[in-house]
Amino acid sequence: MPDRLVIAIDGPSGSGKSSTAKGVASALGLAYLDTGAMYRAVTCAYLDAGVAPDDESGVIAATTAAVLEISTDAANQWVRVNGADVTLRIREPAISANVSAVSTVTECRADLVSRQRAIIDAAGSGIVAEGRDITTVVAPDADVRLLLTADPEARMARRKAELGEKIDEVQLADQILRRDSDDSKLVNFTTAADGVTHLDSTFLNLEETIGAVLDLVRRTVG
């Protein structure tokens, strides 16, 4: 393995990219970055500021002004925005329902991409970063680039298993299908770009998916 290793993983909601990325980071002793958590944290910030989701200028202002801190320890994940710990809150359906107001605005994405690149650059021995535009925008020069997908039924089943009674079927479809549709207007995370390996995890469990990614890393960087 090289002295420094950057692995970029993209994929739609429920494809397993977060759990897979954490597993890979732990196996290789690398840092881990959940870029989606950053978008969700900023969503907390603009809602707490009383900004409506359709107030684009207000959302941009809240995003660029947000003081954002996020853990890169795969075993100890937390995120804070403007001094408040929002680690648990960012997974609530209300945040998922409003995060597209950030992720579909070019200025917001540009601000968060800049922050994400700084975190990646600061990771000494390397990092596994996951999201929607990591392989193409945030870290296009990553040593390993992967698009992780799964069919909609599998993705919704995984998210339901994760959230249980916290989410109903309507909210589930909104999180998986509507958010993917919204975000795809700015980012292509369903088709692998040139040089990006595609892995379909529909029929793989988490251990198998992590193993497949580790095999890809070994084949790619030795």
Side-chain angles (χ1 to χ4, degrees):
M1 293 291 174
D3 292 336
R4 187 172 192 275
L5 179 62
V6 176
I7 300 173
I9 301 178
D10 286 330
S13 302
S15 61
K17 61 183 182 294
S18 295
S19 297
T20 299
K22 281 189 282 189
V24 170
S26 295
L28 298 176
L30 301 176
Y32 161 72
L33 177 61
D34 177 359
T35 63
M38 298 173 71
Y39 285 90
R40 289 170 174 269
V42 170
T43 301
C44 294
Y46 88 72
L47 291 175
D48 288 348
V51 176
D54 60 355
D55 178 0
E56 186 171 298
S57 62
V59 172
I60 294 170
T63 298
T64 55
V67 178
L68 190 56
E69 303 167 274
I70 187 167
S71 168
T72 57
D73 181 349
N76 181 29
Q77 284 292 288
W78 51 262
V79 59
R80 303 184 189 108
V81 64
N82 297 331
D85 188 321
V86 293
T87 306
L88 298 179
R89 185 183 171 197
I90 61 172
R91 304 303 171 187
E92 294 176 358
I95 300 304
S96 297
N98 289 289
V99 68
S100 289
V102 177
S103 61
T104 59
V105 176
T106 301
E107 292 86 349
C108 293
R109 293 199 77 93
D111 178 80
L112 290 174
V113 164
S114 176
R115 301 184 196 223
Q116 291 155 16
R117 287 174 174 163
I119 293 170
I120 292 171
D121 289 345
S125 60
I127 194 167
V128 183
E130 55 93 354
R132 297 199 189 276
D133 59 356
I134 313 304
T135 64
T136 55
V137 177
V138 179
D141 297 324
D143 302 285
V144 179
R145 297 188 297 155
L146 173 72
L147 177 68
L148 185 63
T149 65
D151 67 34
E153 291 77 14
R155 293 191 286 119
M156 286 193 286
R158 290 169 182 173
R159 187 54 56 86
K160 180 64 176 176
E162 175 188 349
L163 297 176
E165 296 180 357
K166 294 181 180 180
I167 190 169
D168 59 30
E169 296 302 318
V170 173
Q171 293 171 323
L172 181 64
D174 180 76
Q175 279 201 26
I176 300 297
L177 304 179
R178 193 270 303 166
R179 276 201 56 220
D180 283 353
S181 177
D182 287 349
D183 287 357
S184 66
K185 296 171 184 176
L186 283 184
V187 182
N188 180 4
F189 50 87
T190 58
T191 303
D194 289 345
V196 176
T197 300
H198 177 213
L199 175 62
D200 187 334
S201 69
T202 301
F203 301 108
L204 301 177
N205 61 31
L206 178 58
E207 183 177 329
E208 291 169 333
T209 305
I210 293 171
V213 177
L214 291 173
D215 286 343
L216 172 63
V217 172
R218 294 185 187 101
R219 294 197 307 270
T220 304
V221 301

